[in-house]
Amino acid sequence: MIYKKYRRLLILIFSALLGLLSSFTIPAWSNSLSLHTNAATSPLALAKEGQQRYNAGDLEAAVKLWQSAAEAYQKVGDREGMTKSLIDKSQALQDLGLYPKACNTLLQAFAIKNPDCSQTQIDQLYKTLAQQRDSLSLTQAIGLHSLGDVLRRQGLLPKSEEVLQLSLLSIAQSPQKSAVLLSLGNTERTQGNQIRDRWDYEEVTDIIDRKSVSDALAPYQEAINHYIAAAKVTSAPAITKIQAQLNHFQLLLETQKWWDDQTNRRITSWSRFGESKLIQRAKDFVSQLKSQLNQDVQALQNQITPNLTALTPSRAAIYAQINYAESLMQSGQINNVEPLLKNALQQARTLQDGRAETYVIGYLGKLYSQQGQLSQATKLTRQALLLAQEQNINGDAREITYLWQSQLGSLLRKQGDPKGAIAAYTAAFNTLQSLRSDLNANNQDVQFDFLQEVKPVYLELVDLLLKSNLSDEELNSLIVSNPSINREKAEAKKLPKNRLELARRVIESLQLAELDNFFQDPCSETADVAVQIDSIDSHTAVIYPIVLPDRLEIILSSPGKPLQEAIIPISEQDINQTLDRLYDYLDNVTINNSARNILSTSNPDPRELQENLQTLLPTFERIYSWLIKPFEAQLDSNQINNLVFVLNGRLQRVPIAALYNGQNYLIEKYSVALVPSLQLIDPQRLERKQLKVLAAGVSEQIQVQGEFFAALVNVPEELDQIKQTFPASQKLLNQQFTAKTIEKQLKSNFPVVHLATHGLFSSNPQKNFIVTGDGKSISINELSTLLREPGTTVELLVLSACETATGDERAVLGLAGMAVRSGARSTLATLWPVGDASTAKFMGEFYQNLKKPEAKQVDALRNSQLSLLESLKANPPFPELKNLPPHPYYWSSYVLVGNWQ
């Protein structure tokens, strides 16, 4: 595991970027006098100095001073003073991104003994204070407000909302009411993001088709209401009101952009099928939404602009101006940005706040870049970077540093300096690698910001490396780090450096970063050095497709051979359109002529299925020409039997086994597996002696949280086949299959766990679940915990009847992550639902193949798919399909992710 001594993701900039500004004023202190003011080191003097240091941006010093003040107050028996000092200390810790410490400090303020920020302690504190809600003091209410903010930033959103609501009830008509309403709005907004991101493709399509603007905005209505209420508290400080308006403003802009993107994606799909009525409804929907939002956006802007310039200079005012500038740039209103940022810069320098200054200068550089003033933008970006590095001397400003390193790389590239750009992006990459745990573990409400802020750094660096003609000496000057390796260790191992190897290493690191981000937890065990395929399997090649704006690059790693590349001159837009077309015809539930919809009817039309297949095959053939054809000769000469793919983006939802060369499917020549990263592979062969399976399933119709799941009547046969193949196996059917029985049985150490039940994987880990026989569900996190029990070693996890969320290209991360998180070395699952009769037959074949002493897991999968293919060839479901290859929808959904051995 990789743990950092300090987890210091600075919330201020991500708050600014996301519009999640909180009140940066320190609320617990009033102007009331203390009896203990004589000595220079009196509690009040310490507390006031802490306030001054905090206002100047010296957060570490503020933490120490408030801790000293709390101890001094405790010595003189002033409980109220101690509580206030601890609350203030917690605020500074939050700003440093040290949320567990901030949480413990707040629990200490509420007199919780041995605080550890556990769920039990938080629940008990809430229960106790809720019973005293009518008699809580203002200080206690402020402490609850701070705790609610901490809980949100730790991802505990329902509890954050509860705690903030209690604070609101206790705070009456105090000026602090506005700040609590602002925090409630932020929590509701984050919950709104979760609700929205849990919608699958079909749900979003339904809202667009119904032209329901109210449903489109529903996830954020509570947040909007709280922001409006916060801005209306007459006694509140001006900064708090403006922060609420800014958050509301940016929320509306982001909501409009999200729905524009979603609607355009569907219009593109519907255009393929000539669905003119659907296209018009989509255009009407987005027009109505824009009309409503624009009205509110303009009204907010008219209030924000004059009020922002009238603010008293402070750190909070500076970040509010950065927030507004960012929103204006995103909405194309760049003409109003420069005066705003220059005013903020002057304030930062007056306050001598180095962190704020580097942000303002960096955003000025971003503005000039957007305006085409590249020379001035570069100068400012270098200046911001120098300031950020100075901040690193006394603290840790890496999360600022990487922003300006990557911005500098982009600017140098635009100015025709690829070597300088590579150096800048490499520096940003190394900074991100050192921040690997911090970027993901500390701030669970910025999950998808990864796609806009972090992922591009990796892809830009890869793009530049693959285009470069740097010498070995120049390449060796670039330290591309693995977070597990310190520099001395890297030098000692003399890591190979060449253009393709560096690019491959960066792509591997991107895959790890995506998994970390997906789970918000950097718990992926990685190898110390880049793993070579030679050391794993001499008959396996690894294929890395890398989608870049102007081309598709393929890197091939073969045993005993140098890395090879192929360049396909095709734009990213063309690639995505091809992959979207494949999805539309194969698995899109909102398209009438998709294979999924044709075959889900009680009486499928064979002509429709024939036409569908004849449309799909050329698309599968085109993708084959990209990924396989450039290397066919090398694969044959190297006697390659297995192909392992490291996929990213929309390629992750492609059933690779169904790639077609004009005569045969890929699976007819090669075994196929997917891996998130070679660095995550533990290449041990599955021990066949006395192999036993823990086989659990649900065959009855079942209701879970109000949703009905259909009966899987062939599951008992599926489990019986496993028991017959491996007699030492344990079977759990229906009511026998619960989280507790799984936990109990796993103590007997089953190397294979087979779960035949409904389940779902999506790009939101909280939506990943499997249904149990007692009418409940197990989340991916809960299942991972069960499979990681001491003494448990799961080699293979089989998820039969589960599916990935429709239209969700990140959903395969759920499958990959299931293996990584659970400790299972590999996972077998399906990309779309397969009939349970077909599944039972397929799984029977799979375990018979797995029983063979020399068979690899990937071979067992391939042989089972080939058996299904041959069966479909001999007995096609419809006579019209007799002279065509078997339709991929019947057989290619099964994927093996992880260790293929």
Side-chain angles (χ1 to χ4, degrees), residues 541-576:
V542 184
I543 295 174
Y544 299 83
I546 306 167
V547 180
L548 298 167
D550 60 344
R551 68 199 189 283
L552 175 65
E553 291 253 8
I554 318 290
I555 296 179
L556 175 71
S557 176
S558 300
K561 303 287 182 182
L563 294 176
Q564 298 174 63
E565 76 174 315
I567 301 173
I568 316 297
I570 178 174
S571 71
E572 182 178 15
Q573 183 180 8
D574 195 0
I575 293 167
N576 286 337

Side-chain angles (χ1 to χ4, degrees), residues 257-475:
K257 183 180 184 304
W258 192 87
W259 279 107
D260 281 347
D261 292 344
Q262 294 297 323
T263 306
N264 289 334
R265 184 175 175 184
R266 282 147 184 83
I267 287 173
T268 302
S269 289
W270 290 332
S271 297
R272 295 189 188 105
F273 298 91
E275 298 280 4
S276 56
K277 289 183 179 179
L278 289 174
I279 292 169
Q280 188 57 52
R281 292 180 71 82
K283 289 180 178 178
D284 291 344
F285 162 77
V286 84
S287 175
Q288 291 169 20
L289 179 67
K290 187 174 291 186
S291 175
Q292 180 171 327
L293 292 182
N294 281 353
Q295 201 171 8
D296 295 337
V297 163
Q298 192 58 55
L300 279 168
Q301 203 163 343
N302 291 340
Q303 297 171 54
I304 291 168
T305 304
N307 293 336
L308 198 58
T309 54
L311 285 176
T312 303
S314 67
R315 292 179 62 239
I318 294 167
Y319 283 100
Q321 289 170 90
I322 294 172
N323 173 277
Y324 192 39
E326 176 71 3
S327 295
L328 293 176
M329 282 192 277
Q330 286 176 356
S331 60
Q333 302 179 61
I334 60 175
N335 293 336
N336 303 322
V337 172
E338 187 172 11
L340 200 63
L341 289 176
K342 284 190 172 178
N343 187 56
L345 180 59
Q346 184 180 349
Q347 292 179 5
R349 286 173 172 165
T350 300
L351 294 172
Q352 297 183 322
D353 189 333
R355 285 175 183 264
E357 186 178 353
T358 184
Y359 280 129
V360 181
I361 293 173
Y363 273 94
L364 272 169
K366 183 175 181 178
L367 170 66
Y368 290 142
S369 175
Q370 285 190 8
Q371 293 176 328
Q373 301 180 51
L374 301 185
S375 177
Q376 180 68 0
T378 304
K379 180 182 175 182
L380 285 167
T381 303
R382 289 187 190 278
Q383 190 179 340
L385 182 55
L386 188 63
L387 271 171
Q389 290 166 338
E390 287 175 4
Q391 298 296 312
N392 274 323
I393 296 171
N394 296 317
D396 186 346
R398 289 172 296 161
E399 71 293 327
I400 315 172
T401 305
Y402 97 85
L403 288 172
W404 310 141
Q405 287 168 332
S406 60
Q407 185 165 295
L408 179 61
S410 174
L411 286 162
L412 292 174
R413 182 173 192 174
K414 288 176 182 176
Q415 295 172 86
D417 181 5
K419 290 183 181 179
I422 288 174
Y425 273 118
T426 302
F429 170 82
N430 286 327
T431 303
L432 283 172
Q433 291 295 88
S434 73
L435 273 170
R436 180 179 168 211
S437 60
D438 307 310
L439 278 169
N440 294 290
N442 275 337
N443 197 18
Q444 296 202 13
D445 54 3
V446 298
Q447 178 181 356
F448 289 95
D449 197 52
F450 173 89
L451 300 178
Q452 282 75 45
E453 295 296 323
V454 178
K455 188 173 181 177
V457 174
Y458 293 84
L459 292 178
E460 287 283 345
L461 178 55
V462 167
D463 190 1
L464 284 160
L465 284 170
L466 292 174
K467 276 185 173 177
S468 73
N469 55 358
L470 297 180
S471 67
D472 289 347
E473 184 179 346
E474 288 170 319
L475 285 169

Side-chain angles (χ1 to χ4, degrees), residues 626-645:
W626 297 343
L627 304 188
I628 308 300
K629 196 166 186 178
F631 304 114
E632 281 180 321
Q634 294 96 311
L635 295 173
D636 287 340
S637 63
N638 292 344
Q639 298 181 318
I640 298 298
N641 301 324
N642 312 312
L643 296 180
V644 174
F645 292 82

Side-chain angles (χ1 to χ4, degrees), residues 527-696:
D528 268 1
V529 295
V531 178
Q532 303 296 335
I533 193 63
D534 311 54
S535 62
I536 300 179
D537 190 335
S538 60
H539 295 288
T540 295
V542 184
I543 295 174
Y544 299 83
I546 306 167
V547 180
L548 298 167
D550 60 344
R551 68 199 189 283
L552 175 65
E553 291 253 8
I554 318 290
I555 296 179
L556 175 71
S557 176
S558 300
K561 303 287 182 182
L563 294 176
Q564 298 174 63
E565 76 174 315
I567 301 173
I568 316 297
I570 178 174
S571 71
E572 182 178 15
Q573 183 180 8
D574 195 0
I575 293 167
N576 286 337
Q577 286 178 351
T578 301
L579 299 179
D580 283 344
R581 178 183 175 87
L582 179 72
Y583 168 69
D584 283 345
Y585 279 95
L586 190 63
D587 191 35
N588 192 338
V589 293
T590 72
I591 300 295
N592 288 332
N593 292 333
S594 70
R596 181 172 188 157
N597 280 336
I598 294 169
L599 291 171
S600 65
T601 59
S602 56
N603 189 21
D605 185 335
R607 292 185 184 276
E608 283 187 346
L609 193 60
Q610 180 183 12
E611 290 173 5
N612 177 275
L613 178 59
Q614 288 171 331
T615 304
L616 278 171
L617 286 176
T619 307
F620 277 119
E621 193 168 353
R622 190 178 190 203
I623 301 171
Y624 181 97
S625 73
W626 297 343
L627 304 188
I628 308 300
K629 196 166 186 178
F631 304 114
E632 281 180 321
Q634 294 96 311
L635 295 173
D636 287 340
S637 63
N638 292 344
Q639 298 181 318
I640 298 298
N641 301 324
N642 312 312
L643 296 180
V644 174
F645 292 82
V646 181
L647 303 177
N648 206 290
R650 298 185 195 189
L651 281 166
Q652 289 183 106
R653 69 185 186 201
V654 174
I656 297 294
L659 299 189
Y660 191 63
N661 66 2
Q663 294 181 313
N664 301 104
Y665 289 117
L666 187 65
I667 198 67
E668 295 182 82
K669 188 171 184 180
Y670 301 102
S671 299
V672 174
L674 309 179
V675 296
S677 166
L678 278 189
Q679 293 180 47
L680 295 175
I681 295 302
D682 186 358
Q684 294 187 24
R685 293 291 293 270
L686 181 63
E687 182 59 56
R688 298 307 197 278
K689 291 182 181 178
Q690 297 179 333
L691 189 66
K692 58 180 182 177
V693 181
L694 176 57

